[in-house]
Amino acid sequence: DQQTLVRTLTSIDGRGYASYKQLSGRYTLGRFTLSVDKVQVDPYAPPSLMQISLRREDAELPADLLDDRLGRIAVSDFLTRAFGDALSEGPSERSGAAAGISIGRPGQQVLERTSVVITEELITARLSVALPAAGRRALGRKAARLLTETLPRIAQAALLHSSLDPEALRSHVALLRDQEDLRTQLEAAKLVSFLADGSMLPRRSGDSDLPLGADAVAFRSPEALRRSFTLASGRQVTGMGVPEGVTVIVGGGYHGKSTLLRAIERGVYPHIAGDGREWVITTSSAASIRAEDGRSAAGVDISAFISGLPSGADTRSFSSSNASGSTSQATNLIEAVESGATALLIDEDTSATNFMIRDDRMRQLIPADREPITPFVDRVRALFSERGVSTVLVAGGSGAFFEVADQIIALEDYTLRDVTAQAHQIAAEHKRTTSQPATPDAAGPASDGPAERRFDSLPARVLRRDSLHPPKKTKPARSRGPRMIQYGREDIDLTAVAQLVDPAQTEALAKALDRLAEQSDAEHDITALVEKLVRRLDTEGLDSLSPHRGHPGHLARPRAQEIHAALNRYRGLTVH
Ligand code: ADP
Ligand code: MG
């Protein structure tokens, strides 16, 4: 109990830092239980891992907020933020008393995370605590104050219903339930995304996810695409539905095209109230596709886009340690389809031009049999007709997509206009000279023959034995920075994985790789391997990514798409 903890800490005051090791164990602090799961060995090592919990009935959280999975995710997100606020705003911060305690910092998204878990009996907050030191000595008395006074006070302020704003909590839960209700309604409405009128899409800066603020022009739907929905709470939302099929966003430079696409891309996650994107909801599997030259690839069938390379390499099973712009974009696209993506989001700014289009003059100069690339414009219809994969594409520099697009929307001064009829007319007047899909659902250029199928039967990729076990692996995978994972001796670079939004997701991906490696002895098919892990996360929760019981670290849930992305970027991967 408390006295034991104080006594232990007082006795090690001024002794070597390693004497903190004695802290491991559980202590009762009033109505809270403190569990010290892992103690750092020196002041410069990663902080110690602790959990503080209390009984659900003592927290007095309304049961109706916790009776479904979404409610529990929303409440734990709310409590995590409240805990973070209490750490940085309370009197303890002014005196510096809470310095060293962290619960992880959620961003603009509401993600399933391990920072606060709610079970039938308990509410548990997971903390990392840098235990106080002077040089390499333990400051035991200071630690005693931190753990037995400051920490319970903060937990009191953040975990008890009586200290929270009950209305704010309730609307946090209602918002997430409504957002996810809308997401489930998208499919029946045959939409890949919805953006409500009044949404604020632009961000403060390229490296900030916060809203731009007063200068932003509110989103407004073009009439032709306007839709309304009634949500679980009775709330109504009206805005633009982006239909399934092929949608092209056009407009002059700097008129807001990329900003719109980026909002749709982030819409796979729910955003907090006040973010401006809380009513931008995208089908959950949508995947951003970009060129990523230099990435590795293992046995990916990119033959729909690239075949007959001068090197003679077989692009039905393309491997490379240094893919080019076009081959990397083809690889990203096929892997996304493999991961179950039903919508692809592509921006001209981050695409390889020769992957996307080829103009008439070039088609005349270089005969088709000398050009290994079949551009995306010739395949985008087949992706939808054979595989049901929609595309939302930003193209301000080329009208090549007009005839293959179901809808074309133009941005002018950040405001949308439906220009489908006009663009289709322009396309009819300026027909391309080379064979092109005349009707929107033709499978591709005539030379392929009508029976040619490209996307409906992608071969399963089967891992080669042991390919997921790094040679001489000694340590578990770990994240190094927000977009890098160290796995064995390799660094997995996730810089180009656009829908990775939280460093805690990267941390979770590192752990996911270790779990995939364990399972890869029994399951060799990449898609099935990831599916199994995702099912396990659904049933056993995010904690199951950790090999240990107790504090699993600060993890946030990545989608299946990001798990695929991390696995596929491991340079040691080899497939049959
Ligand atoms: P494009 O891709 O068409 O060249 P961007 O999306 O990159 O244009 O936007 C250009 C600039 O305009 C960015 O600085 C962005 O923050 C800003 N912007 C985009 N949409 C809006 C908006 N709705 N209101 C105010 N500023 C915006
Ligand atoms: Mg742009």
Side-chain angles (χ1 to χ4, degrees):
D1 62 354
Q2 177 148 357
Q3 268 126 48
T4 327
L5 183 58
V6 172
R7 213 180 308 120
T8 312
L9 283 167
T10 312
S11 74
I12 62 176
D13 191 55
R15 295 190 16 214
Y17 198 87
S19 38
Y20 273 136
K21 273 276 169 208
Q22 301 168 34
L23 276 189
S24 291
R26 295 164 73 83
Y27 309 91
T28 306
L29 307 173
R31 61 178 120 192
F32 296 103
T33 303
L34 176 71
S35 165
V36 180
D37 293 359
K38 189 162 181 285
V39 182
Q40 64 199 112
V41 288
D42 69 77
Y44 309 102
S48 306
L49 299 180
M50 306 188 189
Q51 309 187 76
I52 188 160
S53 57
L54 83 162
R55 287 149 51 109
R56 224 167 99 170
E57 61 205 58
D58 289 345
E60 292 184 318
L61 294 166
D64 65 309
L65 301 183
L66 296 168
D67 57 16
D68 63 340
R69 183 170 164 271
L70 287 173
R72 289 189 293 274
I73 291 174
V75 171
S76 51
D77 180 85
F78 190 92
L79 298 180
T80 302
R81 291 173 198 271
F83 210 107
D85 290 348
L87 283 171
S88 60
E89 282 166 9
S92 44
E93 177 57 20
R94 274 190 290 280
S95 63
I101 304 179
S102 166
I103 191 163
R105 188 189 295 269
Q108 296 296 96
Q109 296 78 21
V110 175
L111 304 175
E112 184 182 345
R113 27 178 93 242
T114 54
S115 48
V116 172
V117 274
I118 301 170
T119 63
E120 287 296 322
E121 296 85 35
L122 292 176
I123 295 182
T124 305
R126 271 75 178 266
L127 311 168
S128 59
V129 181
L131 288 165
R136 292 192 174 275
R137 294 193 183 287
L139 291 181
R141 285 174 204 276
K142 196 170 171 196
R145 276 196 303 279
L146 182 71
L147 297 181
T148 64
E149 292 168 29
T150 308
L151 182 55
R153 193 174 66 236
I154 286 165
Q156 180 98 9
L159 302 180
L160 261 60
H161 191 246
S162 55
S163 17
L164 300 166
D165 175 347
E167 283 315 306
L169 174 65
R170 195 159 275 283
S171 55
H172 200 68
V173 173
L175 177 60
L176 184 66
R177 284 176 177 160
D178 275 350
Q179 288 166 328
E180 294 308 319
D181 180 34
L182 179 52
R183 202 185 311 280
T184 60
Q185 291 191 48
L186 289 179
E187 193 179 344
K190 296 199 170 302
L191 299 179
V192 297
S193 187
F194 172 88
L195 301 94
D197 292 341
S199 294
M200 296 294 187
L201 310 185
R203 298 294 101 188
R204 193 168 292 176
S205 69
D207 62 357
S208 167
D209 206 26
L210 298 172
L212 175 62
D215 293 338
V217 175
F219 180 84
R220 206 181 140 67
S221 53
E223 221 171 285
L225 297 175
R226 191 164 299 156
R227 305 290 296 264
S228 291
F229 291 91
T230 306
L231 308 179
S233 69
R235 174 169 16 209
Q236 294 244 358
V237 286
T238 299
M240 177 172 83
V242 180
E244 292 175 353
V246 178
T247 301
V248 175
I249 301 166
V250 302
Y254 229 62
H255 279 258
K257 301 182 299 296
S258 296
T259 302
L260 173 64
L261 190 77
R262 183 142 272 239
I264 293 172
E265 153 191 311
R266 294 303 180 89
V268 299
Y269 301 113
H271 289 89
I272 55 174
D275 173 82
R277 299 168 296 183
E278 51 270 53
W279 297 112
V280 179
I281 303 290
T282 302
T283 186
S284 59
S285 67
S288 279
I289 305 299
R290 55 168 294 166
E292 188 184 349
D293 54 311
R295 67 156 286 187
S296 62
V300 185
D301 181 356
I302 57 168
S303 63
F305 298 103
I306 294 158
S307 60
L309 288 174
S311 64
D314 180 7
T315 55
R316 282 170 307 172
S317 178
F318 172 73
S319 298
S320 172
S321 61
N322 184 12
S324 69
S326 56
T327 53
S328 64
Q329 193 162 2
T331 299
N332 284 346
L333 190 150
I334 295 297
E335 286 172 352
V337 171
E338 194 177 52
S339 78
T342 56
L344 307 177
L345 312 174
I346 303 180
D347 193 334
E348 60 184 351
D349 295 351
T350 47
S351 291
T353 306
N354 59 340
F355 173 78
M356 299 299 288
I357 54 175
R358 186 157 63 252
D359 71 10
D360 277 349
R361 289 179 180 181
M362 200 54 83
R363 285 178 202 252
Q364 280 178 39
L365 184 65
I366 307 292
D369 60 2
R370 286 297 169 82
E371 171 53 87
I373 304 177
T374 304
F376 182 67
V377 66
D378 291 345
R379 294 286 186 239
V380 63
R381 293 299 328 168
L383 262 173
F384 185 57
S385 59
E386 291 176 18
R387 195 80 197 201
V389 176
S390 298
T391 296
V392 183
L393 176 82
V394 167
S398 164
F401 283 90
F402 287 177
E403 52 255 80
V404 294
D406 297 301
Q407 46 277 324
I408 298 135
I409 44 182
L411 269 165
E412 290 160 8
D413 297 330
Y414 318 130
T415 306
L416 277 174
R417 199 155 60 87
D418 179 75
V419 295
T420 309
Q422 205 184 340
H424 277 165
Q425 195 187 336
I426 291 170
E429 284 164 10
H430 306 266
K431 275 215 177 315
R432 286 199 262 152
T433 50
T434 39
S435 60
Q436 276 305 303
T439 56
D441 272 309
S447 58
D448 285 347
E452 191 90 17
R453 299 180 90 70
R454 294 288 176 177
F455 299 106
D456 65 343
S457 56
L458 290 172
R461 280 196 297 153
V462 178
L463 286 169
R464 195 166 291 168
R465 222 182 122 67
D466 277 348
S467 126
L468 244 191
H469 295 283
K472 299 227 176 69
K473 189 176 136 190
T474 49
K475 285 188 197 144
R478 61 191 185 104
S479 67
R480 287 183 35 212
R483 294 184 165 274
M484 189 74 88
I485 291 173
Q486 187 178 350
Y487 188 58
R489 272 189 236 148
E490 301 283 355
D491 284 334
I492 301 176
D493 183 356
L494 303 173
T495 313
V497 182
Q499 287 159 299
L500 188 61
V501 295
D502 193 312
Q505 286 181 307
T506 310
E507 195 68 53
L509 287 174
K511 296 220 167 8
L513 285 171
D514 280 331
R515 302 293 81 75
L516 290 172
E518 287 159 13
Q519 294 303 312
S520 69
D521 295 330
E523 176 60 71
H524 308 295
D525 179 291
I526 288 185
T527 310
L529 184 65
V530 176
E531 259 170 24
K532 266 190 187 162
L533 182 69
V534 169
R535 269 205 303 279
R536 180 161 146 197
L537 297 183
D538 284 340
T539 54
E540 295 170 39
L542 204 48
D543 278 13
S544 66
L545 281 180
S546 168
H548 315 291
R549 289 164 63 83
H551 195 317
H554 287 142
L555 313 178
R557 182 152 175 184
R559 303 179 307 157
Q561 277 65 33
E562 282 68 49
I563 301 176
H564 274 270
L567 178 62
N568 281 318
R569 282 165 182 73
Y570 171 49
R571 288 178 177 275
L573 202 67
T574 45
V575 305
H576 287 296

